[in-house]
Amino acid sequence: MTTIRFERDGAIGNIVLANPPFNRLDLRFAEALRVAVHQASESDIRVLVVRAEGPHFSFGGEVREWPGKDINWFRTFVADVNFSYRAIEMLKIPTVAVVQGIAFGGGFELALACDFLVAAENATFRCVEVTTAMLPIAGALQRIAERAGRARASRFAMLGEPISGREAGALGIATHVVPENELSATAAALTKRLATGPTRSYAATRTLLKAWSSGGVAAADLMMLDVAMELYHGADAQRGFASTADAFNKDIEPPTLVFEGK
């Protein structure tokens, strides 16, 4: 049975966790996710959504498969999961996680691999690894620290405290938080906006943020002009400048453009 699938609707791609109700990350997960991300990368979609079937996003790792396994097996399994998560981050297009219900452990980390995290107010995020004397092993610790600060990352990883969707939004962990009955509509509106936006600009923004994540402000500054000049040379930016200049001459608000650049 396929636990993850890739599907598309025009310019919008979806990676769907399809093992409800818990969407546990089992032995098939890493390979299935890697295949789905590869299918997404080979397509011409302009935005990728990571979502789940059923009442919950994911309860995290299928721990029942782990006891007794060799340490080298576990190391390879974790490396494979990380490889697939980082592959999402390496895409050039914007990525959106849509979270309802529970997102624990590796499920939480999968959501954190996306640019945008749209959460239901009553969703629950949690780093559960400390309950098994472990730590987050697919990037949650450092990504929570990046979004919400080191002290909060220590708190959530060491104490394993649950984070409500509402709190995740207040802390900057989630980018959009809405009532559960508005989750689908909010995510759809966001993905539609991203799918019709300036894709090359989005890719450049993601590039600079990656540079900042790895090397701070100085590293991003070193790349900024090179990245920006590539955009300036493109048709989208030239058309955007011309349209805005024309609007300024007429003392009107610039129109909203539909961008075609990849």
Side-chain angles (χ1 to χ4, degrees):
M1 180 182 72
T2 300
T3 58
I4 298 176
R5 67 177 184 271
F6 171 72
E7 56 190 32
R8 63 175 297 174
D9 179 12
I12 298 171
N14 290 268
I15 287 179
V16 184
L17 308 187
N19 190 23
F22 305 120
N23 291 304
R24 297 186 190 275
L25 314 183
D26 59 16
L27 301 182
R28 300 165 294 178
F29 168 78
E31 174 62 23
L33 180 58
R34 186 163 56 248
V35 169
V37 175
H38 189 69
Q39 290 173 327
S41 70
E42 289 189 319
S43 71
D44 60 352
I45 58 172
R46 296 167 68 95
V47 60
L48 177 68
V49 179
V50 179
R51 59 181 178 85
E53 294 180 340
H56 301 293
F57 186 74
S58 173
F59 269 55
E62 179 50 277
V63 179
R64 291 173 294 188
E65 296 177 336
W66 301 354
K69 290 290 198 300
D70 179 78
I71 186 174
N72 291 317
W73 173 90
F74 187 66
R75 183 184 184 93
T76 300
F77 171 74
V78 172
D80 285 346
V81 171
N82 274 273
F83 181 84
S84 59
Y85 285 18
R86 304 295 81 82
I88 293 173
E89 292 176 331
M90 290 301 106
L91 294 172
K92 295 184 68 175
I93 56 176
T95 54
V96 180
V98 183
V99 177
Q100 75 281 4
I102 282 173
F104 283 0
F108 186 12
E109 292 173 303
L110 176 58
L112 287 170
C114 296
D115 300 312
F116 295 88
L117 200 169
V118 184
E121 288 178 341
N122 60 354
T124 304
F125 302 91
R126 189 181 176 197
C127 296
V128 294
E129 293 82 3
V130 70
T131 64
T132 57
M134 287 289 292
L135 81 165
I137 50 179
L141 183 62
Q142 49 270 42
R143 283 161 182 78
I144 293 173
E146 184 178 57
R147 297 187 184 207
R150 176 173 175 168
R152 293 190 179 101
S154 296
R155 170 187 163 190
F156 295 130
M158 293 185 188
L159 301 181
E161 294 179 353
I163 309 166
S164 70
R166 185 178 288 109
E167 185 179 8
L171 295 177
I173 294 171
T175 58
H176 300 70
V177 180
V178 295
E180 186 176 16
N181 62 357
E182 298 177 16
L183 185 65
S184 294
T186 299
L190 173 62
T191 54
K192 181 178 179 181
R193 179 177 179 181
L194 292 169
T196 57
T199 311
R200 294 179 67 218
S201 173
Y202 294 155
T205 298
R206 298 177 85 247
T207 296
L208 282 186
L209 285 173
K210 290 172 192 174
W212 170 78
S213 293
S214 60
V217 172
D221 282 349
L222 285 173
M223 298 182 62
M224 186 168 55
L225 283 180
D226 287 341
V227 171
M229 292 310 104
E230 285 294 321
L231 292 178
Y232 179 80
H233 190 62
D236 278 350
Q238 292 301 316
R239 187 159 59 97
F241 288 142
S243 177
T244 301
D246 185 57
F248 283 177
N249 289 335
K250 297 176 181 177
D251 291 325
I252 61 175
E253 184 176 337
T256 299
L257 299 177
V258 176
F259 296 95
E260 300 175 354
K262 288 293 288 179

